[in-house]
Amino acid sequence: PLPSASESRQLKHRRTVDVHVYARADGLWEVDAHLVDVKSRDTPMADGMRLAGVPIHELTLRLVVDTQLNILRAGSESHRVPYQGHCGDHADAYAGLAGLNLAKGFRRAVMERLGGVRGCTHLTELAIGLPTAVIQGFAGEVIDTRGDHPAAGQPFQIDRCHALRSDSEAVRLHYPRWHRQPDAKNTEHNPSSSAAPAAR
C-alpha cells in the first residue's frame, strides 16, 4: 500500500510526462514525448522571475520509428528552460538516437551517447522511458499480445513482468496455451511463484 499522505503536505513541484504514439500513412510511426516541470510558487531564474504555473522546463522529443522498433529519425525542441540560450545549445544531440533500436540495448546506448554533459538531463531521462510507451502503442496492432493464432509465437508480454511470468496464475487464466508449471526449486524460495490461485 501507499504510505499515508500527510494532511499538511503542500504541492511545490509537478512534473508531467506525456507520450503520444501515432501511426502514419507510410507505415512508419511517430512518437512525441513531452516533459513539463511547473512550480507552485514564483521562482527566481537566471532570466528573471518565473511565475507560479509557468513551466520551468517544457521539452519535446520526437522519434520516427519502424515496426521493428528501429529509430529512423529523431530530434528535440526546448520550448522553456531555466537558462535560455544555453540549455538547448546542444546542436540537437538527440538526432543521434537515429540508428538505435528501442528493444535492443537502448537505455545503455542512450546513456553512452547522451548521458551527462553530452545532452540535457531531462531529455535524456525522457528518452530512456520511451521503449515501454512505444511497445504499448504497438500492442495489438504491430505486436501480437494474444497469441491466439495456431502459428503465433508466445505473446510479447509473457515473462517480461512479475504478474505475467509464464508459471503465474495470470498466465494460467488468460494465456493457458503458454502456461508452464512452476519450477519446484523456484517455488521453494519464492512462494508467489506457486500456481495456486491468487488471493482475490
Side-chain angles (χ1 to χ4, degrees):
L2 289 174
S4 299
S6 170
E7 293 181 2
S8 64
R9 70 181 188 174
Q10 297 179 335
L11 180 65
K12 297 293 186 179
H13 179 84
R14 183 179 77 248
R15 170 167 290 183
T16 304
V17 173
D18 192 19
V19 181
H20 292 189
V21 181
Y22 301 91
R24 302 190 342 179
D26 61 2
L28 300 177
W29 292 66
E30 286 183 13
V31 182
D32 280 7
H34 197 58
L35 180 149
V36 179
D37 279 329
V38 174
K39 301 289 186 191
S40 62
R41 62 193 184 281
D42 296 352
T43 305
M45 306 293 293
D47 59 354
M49 190 66 71
R50 199 74 57 94
L51 299 180
V54 176
I56 304 295
H57 294 103
E58 186 175 357
L59 310 168
T60 299
L61 180 63
R62 178 171 294 156
L63 309 180
V64 178
V65 301
D66 65 18
T67 56
Q68 302 304 307
L69 296 168
N70 297 306
I71 301 173
L72 306 180
R73 290 187 295 283
S76 69
E77 189 167 344
S78 301
H79 312 284
R80 289 182 184 271
V81 291
Y83 302 97
Q84 200 66 41
H86 302 284
C87 286
D89 187 22
H90 46 63
D92 203 9
Y94 294 85
L97 294 173
L100 300 181
N101 182 285
L102 287 162
K104 298 174 183 174
F106 178 73
R107 293 180 175 93
R108 186 188 327 171
V110 168
M111 292 308 297
E112 288 172 355
R113 294 186 184 194
L114 298 163
V117 298
R118 292 180 291 278
C120 161
T121 298
H122 308 296
L123 282 168
T124 298
E125 289 176 352
L126 190 58
I128 286 172
L130 289 181
T132 54
V134 178
I135 287 167
Q136 279 294 316
F138 281 12
E141 293 196 48
V142 175
I143 295 172
D144 177 20
T145 57
R146 294 300 312 166
D148 293 331
H149 190 277
Q154 176 175 292
F156 178 87
Q157 66 274 23
I158 293 178
D159 282 328
R160 292 180 184 266
C161 74
H162 81 280
L164 294 175
R165 295 184 324 274
S166 53
D167 64 355
S168 71
E169 177 68 2
V171 170
R172 189 187 70 79
L173 289 172
H174 301 289
Y175 306 95
R177 177 182 171 197
W178 305 105
H179 181 260
R180 64 175 174 79
Q181 292 301 316
D183 182 333
K185 287 187 290 188
N186 289 342
T187 305
E188 288 174 11
H189 301 291
N190 182 12
S192 65
S193 68
S194 170
R200 290 179 172 80

